[in-house]
Amino acid sequence: MTFDLECRNVFKHFGSFQAVNDISLEIPAGFFFSILGPSGCGKTTLLRMLAGFSEPDQGEILIKGKKMAGIPANKRPVNMVFQHLALFPMMNVGENIAYGLKRNRVPKPQRDKKVADVLERIGLPGIEKKSVNQLSGGQKQRVAIARCLVLEPDVLLLDEPLGALDLKLREQMKVELKKLQKAFGTTFIYITHDQSEAMVMSDQVAVMNHGRFEQVGSPQSLYYEPKTSFVAGFVGNNNRVAGIVESIVGETAIIRSNAGQQFKTAFPKIDLKAGDAVDLFIRPEAIHIRRDQSVTSENHINGQVENILFDGGNSQILVKDIDSSQELSVSLPQTREFNDLVAGDRVSLSWDMQQSNIFLSNKKRES
Amino acid sequence: MTGRKLSFYLLLMPLLLTLTLLILLPQLDMLGISMRERVSYGVYEFSLLHYREFFTEPLYWNTFLRTAVMSILATALTLLISFPVAWYIAKIAQGKNKNLMFLACLIPFWVSELVRTYGWMILLRESGVVSGFLQWIGVVDAPVEMLYNDITVMTGLVYASMLFMVVPLVSTLEGMDDSLVEAAYDLGGNHFTVLRTVIIPYAVPGIVSGCIVVFMLTLGNYLTPTLLGGKDSLWFTEQIFTQFITRFNWEQGAAFGVLLLCLSSLIVWLGLKLSKQSFKQALASET
């Protein structure tokens, strides 16, 4: 099977800084693939190597099975949507979209037809004569994407193109982009630091940190089964509790947190022994909250509400454990039950031991 | 009049005074002088004699055209040389280097134009540095005179106007997002098409404003053509100087001055028309 895009052990460094460190990936045709990582993790460097603006120090990049080494950006079957879109301000919309066709010497009648077609497909028919400055933010996005898609590239690279939009428009464009990708069937590679963009749109997400892929998988697998503590902390919200393994009973580990609490957790995939330093991750949305203080369960905390961070459906509360003063953030269910909750109220928290993730703490990799 | 309005006019006053006293009045007076004829001692009459003189005397005509053509050529050469320099300063040089290079363009202007031009003469005259060096390495066996020809005049003019082209170009090019160039390559452009379709169209306001400044400076330059070109340089400003100072024919000199103003306005207007720029845009890119 040939993949639309393949990287084999790609390295790139700038001076003594290793920007991209042994990246391998395989992307099948028609995939929406995201690379998610904090700024400075090397994702832009990787994308620029795919586009042909720089060459890897080691390793190779293949597009549709063809090696790309030595092929400059203007000869590669990939196109890129830039962070600030880079629409040419001195040309109108039609000229912008026709730019690549013109460079490929497509005759004018065909060119005009293709431009009209692609504008139709992105839902903006008949705006060829408009100046770029007359477009709204969302329209500019779509024109920038159309400018690339009209060339029918094998792979479309997108460098955080939604970053400059306001929140509402960004939400809309996420759906829009996903639809466009399905409609055109082109392989998209999307880089972003926004986990929600990556999760909503992608078939597969690679989480990148310090020039390496921490984990590659579907959005669901990243969220439910993070493989490293970086992924657990970066994808979605998480409470991190540092502690030590006290004892192991069958499939259950008993953890003593540094603040002194005792938690139980399942540890399906890692080797643990008593005395190991670990990080325990509990998602705010996996924690049950009750007013009744008498319930007991596997993991249980009686706490006091410190702060209510109201954000509609994403509201959270900060709860401080009464015994240890450890703070946990908990999602607030919007079922009216907790509408009258105020700071200072006593609540009880509990969660299933299957719902927490545990990793050996590795201070060096975290820094 | 409210206090606000008063302070506005007071602040405007120096500008208005300069414009009226130093530019408008002298020019109008010049126009007046150019259109009169001295019939006897202290008695003048309206006449277009001096304009007729200009059109009937081939020397004046030729000098006029020659000055215009040489100035356009000098402007074009300056643009050609300054563009890569400006590109390097705006896009390639980083941090300290950038400032150093800018300074290097500026340094010649710390000495007066006269001294700079004499510098060229020291280099290029028959007993000068270049001639001496050529003899020393044995390329030539007799002193070479490199002054007093058109190439030398052109060199001097380009050298004197470089900065005024580089500055507006750098400021326009610095405003250009690098990703425009990358996008153009990404969409299949090569070096030449990217330059022609993206970089130059983007830089047009800077190019136009640089060209206007350089052209005007060159057309009105007196020192460089006179010193480097000698008697044969035939620069129109020299004719004006001769009429005013040597021949004491103020009327003829004033007519030449008015004609030169018309010429420069006409050429700048044509340039703006051809590049589809408005004067306002061109001036705005200066800042």
Side-chain angles (χ1 to χ4, degrees), chain A residues 231-244:
Chain A
V231 177
F234 197 74
V235 177
N237 294 320
N238 241 327
N239 290 297
R240 173 164 151 188
V241 179
I244 292 171

Side-chain angles (χ1 to χ4, degrees), chain A residues 243-249 252-258 260-265 267 272-278 358:
Chain A
I244 292 171
V245 178
E246 208 168 53
S247 60
I248 290 172
V249 183
T252 309
I254 306 204
I255 313 295
R256 169 74 61 189
S257 81
N258 293 349
Q261 302 136 297
Q262 204 180 49
F263 299 124
K264 287 179 192 160
T265 183
F267 59 104
L272 277 187
K273 53 184 189 304
D276 282 344
V278 290
I358 185 165

Side-chain angles (χ1 to χ4, degrees), chain A residues 275-306:
Chain A
D276 282 344
V278 290
D279 286 321
L280 191 66
F281 288 89
I282 311 140
R283 296 212 179 267
E285 49 273 35
I287 302 178
H288 291 290
I289 169 169
R290 290 187 195 83
R291 287 172 186 266
D292 181 4
Q293 302 261 315
S294 61
V295 184
T296 52
S297 79
E298 288 159 342
N299 290 301
H300 184 252
I301 285 180
N302 282 327
Q304 186 174 18
V305 177
E306 280 280 291

Side-chain angles (χ1 to χ4, degrees), chain A residues 46-159:
Chain A
L46 180 61
L47 200 74
R48 292 177 64 83
M49 285 194 285
L50 300 180
F53 293 124
S54 63
E55 289 283 331
D57 298 333
Q58 261 182 66
E60 52 189 14
I61 294 165
L62 293 90
I63 294 167
K64 286 237 150 105
K66 228 179 109 197
K67 286 184 188 167
M68 285 294 127
I71 298 180
N74 52 0
K75 298 275 185 320
R76 290 195 184 190
V78 295
N79 287 113
M80 180 151 159
V81 177
F82 287 81
Q83 190 164 16
H84 301 293
L85 307 179
L87 292 172
F88 304 126
M90 54 284 182
M91 301 178 200
N92 64 27
V93 171
E95 287 167 337
N96 259 290
I97 296 179
Y99 190 87
L101 296 171
K102 226 167 162 177
R103 303 284 84 80
N104 294 343
R105 296 178 204 285
V106 176
K108 183 156 170 52
Q110 262 169 283
R111 211 158 68 206
D112 290 346
K113 194 175 165 304
K114 282 194 170 188
V115 171
D117 278 354
V118 80
L119 281 174
E120 183 91 45
R121 291 181 77 177
I122 60 164
L124 296 169
I127 62 159
E128 285 97 330
K129 290 279 172 289
K130 272 201 180 176
S131 128
V132 171
N133 299 323
Q134 284 172 281
L135 304 180
S136 70
Q139 289 174 328
K140 279 185 192 165
Q141 297 279 340
R142 283 187 274 173
V143 169
I145 292 164
R147 185 173 71 173
C148 293
L149 288 179
V150 77
L151 298 175
E152 292 158 22
D154 290 334
V155 178
L156 184 69
L157 309 171
L158 300 104
D159 182 4

Side-chain angles (χ1 to χ4, degrees), chain A residues 202-233:
Chain A
S202 317
D203 298 308
Q204 250 194 349
V205 181
V207 180
M208 194 167 178
N209 189 28
H210 295 313
R212 291 173 181 277
F213 281 171
E214 295 264 337
Q215 186 174 352
V216 183
S218 67
Q220 287 84 350
S221 73
L222 294 180
Y223 182 81
Y224 293 119
E225 297 145 26
K227 285 201 182 117
T228 67
S229 62
F230 177 80
V231 177

Side-chain angles (χ1 to χ4, degrees), chain B residues 194-213:
Chain B
V194 172
L195 183 70
R196 184 174 59 83
T197 56
V198 176
I199 299 171
I200 290 180
Y202 190 94
V204 161
I207 292 174
V208 170
S209 85
C211 283
I212 290 177
V213 174

